[in-house]
Amino acid sequence: MAAICVFCASSRTLDQRWLDLAAEAGAEIARRGHTLVSGGGCVGMMGAVADGARTAGGPTLGVIPQALVDLEVADLASDDLLVTAGMADRKTLMIDKSDAFLTLPGGLGTLDELFEVWTTATLTMHAKPMVLVDADGFYRPLLDWLATLADRNFLKPAGLSLLTVVDSIPAALDTLESHLT
């Protein structure tokens, strides 16, 4: 099956509903027979998505920079934990090791990862499917702003259409799987 990379928040101060969403994503990835690729952290949504995948019997691959290992936030329970020199190396390795990308709610780091994978797709550096889960309208303001970029010719409509937006985990996995076959 596929290696599905999940980008999401690693904050320790999130509402339980976001942790539950991440755990649901990990479990659904595992139930469908896929491997979870994550940022290799054990905290916040990142920890919850990996725990969800493992609880449902799925394999996990974490990719984490040494600086975060030093802060003792590495997912040491990961089936495979790859340690990189820095954040840029981490993103490159996550992209290389993944067949598809699923973005959950998150902050700057999550947006950085999403935009990296999306930008490289618009440059035809890869053709891997990308899905954004807009749970409870979390990303609506960003999506509205991105639409104005396209309206003003700063973003080609074809580039905008490379990212599929859904509102649930099952819809996200259905979409990714439809593009992987």
Side-chain angles (χ1 to χ4, degrees):
M1 297 308 292
I4 298 177
C5 183
V6 175
F7 301 134
C8 60
S10 60
S11 171
R12 297 176 194 252
T13 59
L14 299 173
D15 290 342
Q16 186 63 43
R17 70 182 176 141
W18 302 120
L19 301 174
D20 293 344
L21 181 73
E24 177 189 356
E28 189 70 12
I29 288 168
R31 277 194 295 272
R32 294 184 185 216
H34 303 296
T35 297
L36 170 71
V37 178
S38 77
C42 64
V43 295
M45 291 175 72
M46 196 180 304
V49 74
D51 289 343
R54 281 191 291 272
T55 298
T60 58
L61 166 65
V63 184
I64 189 167
Q66 183 62 53
L68 295 180
V69 173
D70 295 344
L71 289 176
E72 299 181 351
V73 295
D75 179 16
L76 300 178
S78 184
D79 294 304
D80 196 4
L81 187 65
L82 305 177
V83 180
T84 63
M87 294 295 278
D89 296 330
R90 174 202 216 181
K91 286 186 294 186
T92 299
L93 194 54
M94 289 172 78
I95 293 169
D96 290 346
K97 295 285 185 183
S98 301
D99 300 309
F101 304 93
L102 173 62
T103 303
L104 299 175
L108 291 177
T110 302
L111 291 173
D112 177 50
E113 292 163 336
L114 167 64
F115 283 118
E116 175 84 14
V117 75
W118 195 1
T119 299
T120 54
T122 65
L123 298 171
T124 66
M125 298 172 77
H126 72 82
K128 300 172 183 180
M130 302 169 293
V131 172
L132 177 76
V133 177
D134 187 28
D136 297 331
F138 184 89
Y139 283 112
R140 181 51 37 207
L142 175 65
L143 295 168
D144 291 343
W145 178 74
L146 289 167
T148 66
L149 288 182
D151 291 343
R152 296 175 182 172
N153 297 317
F154 285 98
L155 174 61
K156 294 178 182 174
L160 191 59
S161 70
L162 290 173
L163 181 69
T164 302
V165 179
V166 300
D167 63 2
S168 72
I169 298 304
L173 271 292
D174 288 346
T175 300
L176 289 176
E177 289 176 334
S178 73
H179 287 92
L180 288 169
T181 57

